[in-house]
PDB file of all heavy atoms in Angstrom:
ATOM      1  N   ASN Z 123      71.192 141.606 104.778  1.00 96.00           N
ATOM      2  CA  ASN Z 123      71.761 141.394 103.381  1.00 96.00           C
ATOM      3  C   ASN Z 123      71.362 140.023 102.806  1.00 96.00           C
ATOM      4  O   ASN Z 123      72.247 139.228 102.361  1.00 96.00           O
ATOM      5  CB  ASN Z 123      73.290 141.507 103.452  1.00 96.00           C
ATOM      6  CG  ASN Z 123      73.739 142.991 103.148  1.00 96.00           C
ATOM      7  OD1 ASN Z 123      72.889 143.728 102.747  1.00 96.00           O
ATOM      8  ND2 ASN Z 123      75.072 143.164 103.376  1.00 96.00           N
ATOM      9  N   GLN Z 126      71.812 138.851  99.216  1.00 97.00           N
ATOM     10  CA  GLN Z 126      73.197 139.222  98.863  1.00 97.00           C
ATOM     11  C   GLN Z 126      74.184 138.130  99.478  1.00 97.00           C
ATOM     12  O   GLN Z 126      75.139 137.784  98.861  1.00 97.00           O
ATOM     13  CB  GLN Z 126      73.663 140.583  99.346  1.00 97.00           C
ATOM     14  CG  GLN Z 126      73.013 141.676  98.504  1.00 97.00           C
ATOM     15  CD  GLN Z 126      71.613 142.106  98.987  1.00 97.00           C
ATOM     16  OE1 GLN Z 126      70.866 141.325  99.509  1.00 97.00           O
ATOM     17  NE2 GLN Z 126      71.214 143.287  98.695  1.00 97.00           N
ATOM     18  N   CYS Z 128      74.010 135.173 100.135  1.00 97.00           N
ATOM     19  CA  CYS Z 128      74.238 133.816  99.558  1.00 97.00           C
ATOM     20  C   CYS Z 128      75.337 133.782  98.583  1.00 97.00           C
ATOM     21  O   CYS Z 128      75.431 134.611  97.728  1.00 97.00           O
ATOM     22  CB  CYS Z 128      72.861 133.455  98.912  1.00 97.00           C
ATOM     23  SG  CYS Z 128      73.138 131.946  97.885  1.00 97.00           S
ATOM     24  N   TYR Z 138      73.685 118.998 106.054  1.00 96.00           N
ATOM     25  CA  TYR Z 138      75.007 119.505 106.558  1.00 96.00           C
ATOM     26  C   TYR Z 138      75.559 118.847 107.762  1.00 96.00           C
ATOM     27  O   TYR Z 138      74.852 118.708 108.746  1.00 96.00           O
ATOM     28  CB  TYR Z 138      74.780 121.014 106.809  1.00 96.00           C
ATOM     29  CG  TYR Z 138      76.078 121.722 107.047  1.00 96.00           C
ATOM     30  CD1 TYR Z 138      77.068 121.664 106.113  1.00 96.00           C
ATOM     31  CD2 TYR Z 138      76.297 122.519 108.138  1.00 96.00           C
ATOM     32  CE1 TYR Z 138      78.287 122.365 106.295  1.00 96.00           C
ATOM     33  CE2 TYR Z 138      77.419 123.234 108.300  1.00 96.00           C
ATOM     34  CZ  TYR Z 138      78.478 123.122 107.425  1.00 96.00           C
ATOM     35  OH  TYR Z 138      79.689 123.737 107.534  1.00 96.00           O
ATOM     36  N   TRP Z 152      65.040 116.582  92.005  1.00 98.00           N
ATOM     37  CA  TRP Z 152      64.010 116.214  90.922  1.00 98.00           C
ATOM     38  C   TRP Z 152      64.494 116.785  89.527  1.00 98.00           C
ATOM     39  O   TRP Z 152      64.577 116.165  88.553  1.00 98.00           O
ATOM     40  CB  TRP Z 152      62.625 116.708  91.271  1.00 98.00           C
ATOM     41  CG  TRP Z 152      61.616 116.838  90.266  1.00 98.00           C
ATOM     42  CD1 TRP Z 152      61.062 117.852  89.784  1.00 98.00           C
ATOM     43  CD2 TRP Z 152      60.950 115.600  89.570  1.00 98.00           C
ATOM     44  NE1 TRP Z 152      59.963 117.577  88.842  1.00 98.00           N
ATOM     45  CE2 TRP Z 152      60.011 116.235  88.697  1.00 98.00           C
ATOM     46  CE3 TRP Z 152      61.172 114.241  89.599  1.00 98.00           C
ATOM     47  CZ2 TRP Z 152      59.204 115.432  87.866  1.00 98.00           C
ATOM     48  CZ3 TRP Z 152      60.387 113.470  88.726  1.00 98.00           C
ATOM     49  CH2 TRP Z 152      59.351 114.039  87.956  1.00 98.00           C
ATOM     50  N   SER Z 178      59.231 135.981  83.703  1.00 96.00           N
ATOM     51  CA  SER Z 178      58.773 135.346  82.443  1.00 96.00           C
ATOM     52  C   SER Z 178      58.395 133.958  82.952  1.00 96.00           C
ATOM     53  O   SER Z 178      58.592 133.534  84.080  1.00 96.00           O
ATOM     54  CB  SER Z 178      59.996 135.233  81.484  1.00 96.00           C
ATOM     55  OG  SER Z 178      60.874 134.247  81.949  1.00 96.00           O
ATOM     56  N   HIS Z 199      74.326 127.645 106.926  1.00 93.00           N
ATOM     57  CA  HIS Z 199      74.819 128.159 108.175  1.00 93.00           C
ATOM     58  C   HIS Z 199      75.562 129.506 107.984  1.00 93.00           C
ATOM     59  O   HIS Z 199      76.407 129.845 108.803  1.00 93.00           O
ATOM     60  CB  HIS Z 199      75.808 127.135 108.851  1.00 93.00           C
ATOM     61  CG  HIS Z 199      75.018 126.035 109.502  1.00 93.00           C
ATOM     62  ND1 HIS Z 199      74.295 125.135 108.836  1.00 93.00           N
ATOM     63  CD2 HIS Z 199      74.964 125.570 110.812  1.00 93.00           C
ATOM     64  CE1 HIS Z 199      73.789 124.361 109.708  1.00 93.00           C
ATOM     65  NE2 HIS Z 199      74.170 124.576 110.904  1.00 93.00           N
ATOM     66  N   THR Z 203      77.548 137.816 113.378  1.00 87.00           N
ATOM     67  CA  THR Z 203      78.500 137.773 114.576  1.00 87.00           C
ATOM     68  C   THR Z 203      77.683 137.259 115.852  1.00 87.00           C
ATOM     69  O   THR Z 203      78.284 136.570 116.635  1.00 87.00           O
ATOM     70  CB  THR Z 203      79.043 139.215 114.756  1.00 87.00           C
ATOM     71  OG1 THR Z 203      79.592 139.571 113.548  1.00 87.00           O
ATOM     72  CG2 THR Z 203      80.218 139.145 115.764  1.00 87.00           C
ATOM     73  N   GLU Z 440      66.487 107.690 108.276  1.00 98.00           N
ATOM     74  CA  GLU Z 440      67.701 108.410 108.434  1.00 98.00           C
ATOM     75  C   GLU Z 440      67.408 109.929 108.495  1.00 98.00           C
ATOM     76  O   GLU Z 440      68.044 110.619 109.354  1.00 98.00           O
ATOM     77  CB  GLU Z 440      68.657 108.147 107.235  1.00 98.00           C
ATOM     78  CG  GLU Z 440      69.912 107.613 107.725  1.00 98.00           C
ATOM     79  CD  GLU Z 440      70.701 107.027 106.460  1.00 98.00           C
ATOM     80  OE1 GLU Z 440      70.963 107.731 105.534  1.00 98.00           O
ATOM     81  OE2 GLU Z 440      71.144 105.819 106.541  1.00 98.00           O
TER      82      GLU Z 440
ATOM     83  N   ARG B 222      64.763 116.033  79.096  1.00 98.00           N
ATOM     84  CA  ARG B 222      64.783 116.376  80.522  1.00 98.00           C
ATOM     85  C   ARG B 222      66.072 116.994  81.013  1.00 98.00           C
ATOM     86  O   ARG B 222      66.136 117.779  81.982  1.00 98.00           O
ATOM     87  CB  ARG B 222      64.393 115.107  81.410  1.00 98.00           C
ATOM     88  CG  ARG B 222      64.055 115.328  82.777  1.00 98.00           C
ATOM     89  CD  ARG B 222      63.709 114.094  83.517  1.00 98.00           C
ATOM     90  NE  ARG B 222      63.739 114.412  84.909  1.00 98.00           N
ATOM     91  CZ  ARG B 222      62.881 114.937  85.601  1.00 98.00           C
ATOM     92  NH1 ARG B 222      61.682 115.175  85.061  1.00 98.00           N
ATOM     93  NH2 ARG B 222      62.900 115.136  86.905  1.00 98.00           N
ATOM     94  N   GLU B 228      65.389 130.407  80.447  1.00 96.00           N
ATOM     95  CA  GLU B 228      66.163 131.677  80.949  1.00 96.00           C
ATOM     96  C   GLU B 228      66.606 131.519  82.315  1.00 96.00           C
ATOM     97  O   GLU B 228      67.763 131.928  82.666  1.00 96.00           O
ATOM     98  CB  GLU B 228      65.056 132.746  80.956  1.00 96.00           C
ATOM     99  CG  GLU B 228      64.902 133.614  79.701  1.00 96.00           C
ATOM    100  CD  GLU B 228      63.826 134.686  79.998  1.00 96.00           C
ATOM    101  OE1 GLU B 228      62.677 134.444  79.762  1.00 96.00           O
ATOM    102  OE2 GLU B 228      64.281 135.780  80.386  1.00 96.00           O
ATOM    103  N   ASN B 329      81.816 107.309 104.047  1.00 98.00           N
ATOM    104  CA  ASN B 329      81.430 107.079 105.503  1.00 98.00           C
ATOM    105  C   ASN B 329      80.449 105.919 105.621  1.00 98.00           C
ATOM    106  O   ASN B 329      80.439 105.243 106.677  1.00 98.00           O
ATOM    107  CB  ASN B 329      80.821 108.402 106.052  1.00 98.00           C
ATOM    108  CG  ASN B 329      81.883 109.440 106.331  1.00 98.00           C
ATOM    109  OD1 ASN B 329      83.040 109.160 106.234  1.00 98.00           O
ATOM    110  ND2 ASN B 329      81.415 110.701 106.634  1.00 98.00           N
ATOM    111  N   ARG B 330      79.586 105.818 104.689  1.00 98.00           N
ATOM    112  CA  ARG B 330      78.569 104.824 104.903  1.00 98.00           C
ATOM    113  C   ARG B 330      79.141 103.347 104.602  1.00 98.00           C
ATOM    114  O   ARG B 330      78.805 102.528 105.415  1.00 98.00           O
ATOM    115  CB  ARG B 330      77.420 105.040 103.824  1.00 98.00           C
ATOM    116  CG  ARG B 330      76.170 104.137 104.010  1.00 98.00           C
ATOM    117  CD  ARG B 330      75.157 104.332 102.911  1.00 98.00           C
ATOM    118  NE  ARG B 330      74.481 105.574 102.965  1.00 98.00           N
ATOM    119  CZ  ARG B 330      73.502 105.859 103.811  1.00 98.00           C
ATOM    120  NH1 ARG B 330      73.031 104.927 104.627  1.00 98.00           N
ATOM    121  NH2 ARG B 330      73.019 107.025 103.764  1.00 98.00           N
ATOM    122  N   GLY B 476      83.813 135.029 112.814  1.00 86.00           N
ATOM    123  CA  GLY B 476      82.553 135.613 112.855  1.00 86.00           C
ATOM    124  C   GLY B 476      82.493 137.066 112.921  1.00 86.00           C
ATOM    125  O   GLY B 476      81.485 137.663 112.804  1.00 86.00           O
ATOM    126  N   TYR B 545      85.681 118.925 110.645  1.00 86.00           N
ATOM    127  CA  TYR B 545      84.795 118.013 110.102  1.00 86.00           C
ATOM    128  C   TYR B 545      84.394 118.304 108.644  1.00 86.00           C
ATOM    129  O   TYR B 545      83.358 118.759 108.330  1.00 86.00           O
ATOM    130  CB  TYR B 545      83.494 117.764 110.955  1.00 86.00           C
ATOM    131  CG  TYR B 545      83.848 117.692 112.376  1.00 86.00           C
ATOM    132  CD1 TYR B 545      83.690 118.758 113.276  1.00 86.00           C
ATOM    133  CD2 TYR B 545      84.331 116.514 112.896  1.00 86.00           C
ATOM    134  CE1 TYR B 545      83.932 118.699 114.644  1.00 86.00           C
ATOM    135  CE2 TYR B 545      84.720 116.410 114.252  1.00 86.00           C
ATOM    136  CZ  TYR B 545      84.496 117.476 115.039  1.00 86.00           C
ATOM    137  OH  TYR B 545      84.920 117.324 116.352  1.00 86.00           O
ATOM    138  N   GLN B 549      80.906 124.519 105.414  1.00 91.00           N
ATOM    139  CA  GLN B 549      80.433 125.759 104.721  1.00 91.00           C
ATOM    140  C   GLN B 549      81.163 126.957 105.218  1.00 91.00           C
ATOM    141  O   GLN B 549      80.942 127.384 106.448  1.00 91.00           O
ATOM    142  CB  GLN B 549      78.943 125.980 104.925  1.00 91.00           C
ATOM    143  CG  GLN B 549      78.360 127.294 104.312  1.00 91.00           C
ATOM    144  CD  GLN B 549      76.989 127.540 104.619  1.00 91.00           C
ATOM    145  OE1 GLN B 549      76.595 127.238 105.640  1.00 91.00           O
ATOM    146  NE2 GLN B 549      76.307 128.217 103.727  1.00 91.00           N
ATOM    147  N   ARG B 558      79.676 140.710 104.833  1.00 92.00           N
ATOM    148  CA  ARG B 558      78.213 140.317 104.707  1.00 92.00           C
ATOM    149  C   ARG B 558      77.529 140.698 103.441  1.00 92.00           C
ATOM    150  O   ARG B 558      76.337 140.914 103.398  1.00 92.00           O
ATOM    151  CB  ARG B 558      77.428 140.853 105.965  1.00 92.00           C
ATOM    152  CG  ARG B 558      77.961 140.463 107.243  1.00 92.00           C
ATOM    153  CD  ARG B 558      77.837 138.998 107.584  1.00 92.00           C
ATOM    154  NE  ARG B 558      78.135 138.719 108.917  1.00 92.00           N
ATOM    155  CZ  ARG B 558      79.339 138.368 109.444  1.00 92.00           C
ATOM    156  NH1 ARG B 558      80.364 138.207 108.599  1.00 92.00           N
ATOM    157  NH2 ARG B 558      79.566 138.117 110.735  1.00 92.00           N
ATOM    158  N   LYS B 620      77.445 142.350  96.738  1.00 96.00           N
ATOM    159  CA  LYS B 620      76.654 142.289  95.505  1.00 96.00           C
ATOM    160  C   LYS B 620      76.004 143.574  95.154  1.00 96.00           C
ATOM    161  O   LYS B 620      75.485 143.826  94.113  1.00 96.00           O
ATOM    162  CB  LYS B 620      75.596 141.150  95.643  1.00 96.00           C
ATOM    163  CG  LYS B 620      76.197 139.750  95.726  1.00 96.00           C
ATOM    164  CD  LYS B 620      75.352 138.653  95.389  1.00 96.00           C
ATOM    165  CE  LYS B 620      76.128 137.347  95.364  1.00 96.00           C
ATOM    166  NZ  LYS B 620      76.319 136.685  96.670  1.00 96.00           N
TER     167      LYS B 620
END
Side-chain angles (χ1 to χ4, degrees):
Chain Z
N123 270 348
Q126 285 87 332
C128 169
Y138 189 52
W152 163 246
S178 70
H199 282 63
T203 309
E440 238 168 54
Chain B
R222 196 178 160 81
E228 273 182 271
N329 283 351
R330 187 183 293 279
Y545 312 104
Q549 178 188 30
R558 304 293 192 265
K620 295 197 173 83

